[in-house]
Amino acid sequence: MNANSEFGTLINILENEHVIDKAGLVNLLTCDDADPVYAADRIRKIFVGEDVHLRGLIEFSSYCCRTCFYCGLRAANNNIKRFRMGPEEIIECAKHAVSCGLKTIVLQSGEDKSFTINDLCKIVNRIKGMDAAVTLSIGELSKSEYTALKNAGADRYLLRIETSNEQLYESLHPGMSYKNRVRCLYDLKELGYETGTCCLIGLPGQTPEMLADDLLFFKELDADMIGMGPFIPCAGTPLELQDGGDVGAVLKMMALARLLMPDINIPATTALGIKDSGGYKKGLGCGANVIMPNMGRSEYKKLYAIYPGKGEGITNLENQIEAIKSTVFKLGRSIGRDYGNRKRLIDNHY
Ligand code: SAM
Ligand code: SF4
């Protein structure tokens, strides 16, 4: 409901022209009466259609040299058991995912330096041979490393900016620099990766103004994929006692992202599904067109403990996919049969 005509006007302009300034975004983010969801669903239908693309996620190592304040895999967390899959195990999981009909494999890990770029290139290359698109989510690398992985066949890369506020970013990422994070994202774009990014919603110290800046940052970058997730406090991290992100705020950010960047891919994230049992369904109603079923081995899923609840309840991979398909079909939507690349329909860039 947009009872207040000021919000109605802002949302109309967003729906028709896909532009808004920071003050307008802050207005929409801070007022409960502002509801961009119906407009986002209409725009999703027009620009990306009814297809929901399934991407098979394989979390292949929980070792990480970083110490991000929110993440259970941070190097300083000695309370978790770590795992690292071997190349053949990764390939087996990818084969299984492809045999289940998935057309994209997403390889994700902590920043685990025991995999060389050459090792990773070989894995990417073998998965490409299975007729699947490959997405990587393995953190910050040099431009030459990103280039080698692209040359090996990688199609997409996920690297969240987490927050576009430099001060907040650096307060949560000891030893990391905001400028380098931004450098990575622009390198990925320049190298031709479909580039996914996003923010964590509900981080301590985050304001609506910062979230508005995040959305404008994504548009400026011309991100190809935006995966909004709530921050979920995790034991063994400096933020374990903080409040987590709010599902309503995540859904509103997803809807605003769809209105600002109509033809991008937007997943209903795992974290959204964990915070709310109806999270996938709600996300699909707020502009999402991607879901990433976890196709790793069941014994590792819980060990990839970035936040509590990860990997719980997933026993059988086929059942997991069927449950997702059933949610999608009940909404009158369909499952994408192609790679689900971004189909650029307008110039999203300023
Ligand atoms: N290491 C790579 C990186 O940081 O880009 C990829 C793996 S990392 C686990 C993937 C994402 O998990 C991060 O970008 C972060 O947003 C998310 N994450 C980590 N801890 C989280 C938490 N406590 N709540 C929600 N999301 C979290
Ligand atoms: Fe490592 Fe990524 Fe977790 Fe940071 S968010 S500690 S880089 S796994």
Side-chain angles (χ1 to χ4, degrees):
M1 283 249 296
N2 292 296
N4 179 322
S5 63
E6 187 197 346
F7 300 137
T9 307
L10 281 174
I11 291 171
N12 274 341
I13 296 172
L14 250 181
E15 185 170 357
N16 293 313
E17 297 170 26
H18 318 297
V19 289
I20 188 169
D21 63 9
K22 179 173 171 179
L25 282 172
V26 173
N27 258 338
L28 294 178
L29 285 167
T30 45
C31 187
D32 289 344
D33 286 346
D35 187 353
V37 168
Y38 295 107
D41 198 43
R42 284 191 292 271
I43 286 297
R44 185 270 307 156
K45 235 179 244 188
I46 293 168
F47 282 84
V48 296
E50 300 296 358
D51 274 356
V52 175
H53 302 286
L54 304 187
R55 324 274 206 214
L57 175 64
I58 301 173
E59 297 157 335
F60 66 91
S61 170
S62 66
Y63 284 88
C64 188
C65 61
R66 304 286 189 185
T67 53
C68 308
F69 268 23
Y70 41 80
C71 179
L73 302 190
R74 65 198 307 271
N77 186 4
N78 296 319
N79 300 328
I80 58 165
K81 189 174 159 203
R82 309 254 172 188
F83 75 95
R84 175 181 293 128
M85 289 165 73
E88 293 311 318
E89 263 183 305
I90 299 173
I91 296 297
E92 279 315 304
C93 287
K95 270 189 196 156
H96 187 195
V98 171
S99 75
C100 291
L102 304 189
K103 300 294 284 177
T104 293
I105 301 299
V106 183
L107 297 178
Q108 191 183 87
S109 68
E111 291 200 23
D112 179 356
K113 300 303 173 197
S114 64
F115 284 91
T116 66
I117 292 300
N118 198 25
D119 295 335
L120 293 166
C121 284
K122 285 185 190 154
I123 294 169
V124 168
N125 194 263
R126 284 179 69 188
I127 297 176
K128 286 295 287 182
M130 299 174 201
D131 189 25
V134 174
T135 304
L136 296 172
S137 174
I138 55 177
E140 296 185 9
L141 298 171
S142 66
K143 189 170 185 182
S144 63
E145 291 170 319
Y146 287 142
T147 305
L149 290 162
K150 186 83 184 65
N151 291 340
D155 303 277
R156 310 189 189 116
Y157 206 101
L158 306 180
L159 184 77
R160 282 182 169 168
I161 190 71
E162 318 290 4
T163 170
S164 66
N165 182 280
E166 183 163 0
Q167 212 181 347
L168 180 62
Y169 181 90
E170 294 195 351
S171 73
L172 297 171
H173 300 92
M176 294 171 80
S177 102
Y178 177 75
K179 287 189 176 57
N180 193 50
R181 195 80 170 174
V182 174
R183 187 273 305 160
C184 289
L185 286 167
Y186 277 90
D187 280 353
L188 291 164
K189 282 294 296 184
E190 195 189 315
L191 290 168
Y193 282 94
E194 278 203 2
T195 304
T197 188
C198 204
C199 49
L200 266 177
I201 296 165
L203 286 168
Q206 192 178 50
T207 63
E209 286 75 13
M210 292 179 193
L211 290 174
D213 281 334
D214 291 344
L215 287 164
L216 296 173
F217 173 86
F218 305 145
K219 178 127 174 148
E220 172 88 41
L221 172 70
D222 189 21
D224 302 292
M225 204 271 311
I226 302 286
M228 304 280 181
F231 156 60
I232 303 177
C234 182
T237 70
L239 303 186
E240 65 183 337
L241 299 178
Q242 300 289 331
D243 291 333
D246 171 59
V247 169
V250 174
L251 295 173
K252 199 181 242 189
M253 284 288 283
M254 287 171 69
L256 291 172
R258 173 59 71 203
L259 289 166
L260 260 180
M261 292 159 281
D263 61 9
I264 62 168
N265 285 318
I266 300 184
T269 58
T270 311
L272 182 60
I274 282 174
K275 275 285 277 194
D276 184 320
S277 57
Y280 283 156
K281 187 173 160 195
K282 289 180 186 168
L284 291 174
C286 290
N289 68 326
V290 170
I291 294 182
M292 308 209 308
N294 192 321
M295 300 304 288
R297 283 181 43 180
S298 48
E299 64 266 42
Y300 297 138
K301 285 177 189 161
K302 274 194 188 169
L303 299 183
Y304 196 80
I306 55 181
Y307 44 70
K310 266 273 300 84
E312 274 167 23
I314 308 173
T315 43
N316 178 299
L317 299 183
E318 282 80 3
N319 290 352
Q320 179 197 187
I321 294 178
E322 285 314 309
I324 291 172
K325 285 185 177 171
S326 158
T327 303
V328 168
F329 295 147
K330 276 188 196 144
L331 293 170
R333 307 269 294 267
S334 43
I335 298 293
R337 292 177 180 277
D338 60 10
Y339 299 118
N341 292 332
R342 175 183 181 186
K343 294 175 188 72
R344 191 180 287 277
L345 295 179
I346 58 166
D347 185 6
N348 275 329
H349 201 240
Y350 285 110

